[in-house]
Amino acid sequence: MVSPAGGAMVLGWDMAAALAMARALGVDPRIAAECLPEIEAVMVRKINEQMAGDR
């Protein structure tokens, strides 16, 4: 998380941690590596929209 002049915002996920969690859940790492960037982009955008609305 970064705190620019306008407030805090999420920039992205820790992909190593996300892949480790996928591995622990039994998800094929190749599938996780393929899908996680798209999921991350949507989640980051939605979290930032929600945080902006809470200000």
Side-chain angles (χ1 to χ4, degrees), residues 21-51:
M21 186 170 24
R23 192 175 315 114
L25 292 170
V27 177
D28 184 319
R30 293 171 292 189
I31 293 172
E34 183 73 29
C35 296
L36 278 172
E38 293 178 34
I39 295 168
E40 174 196 32
V42 172
M43 291 302 297
V44 166
R45 187 170 49 253
K46 293 299 181 181
I47 290 168
N48 285 328
E49 287 173 5
Q50 184 177 23
M51 287 173 33

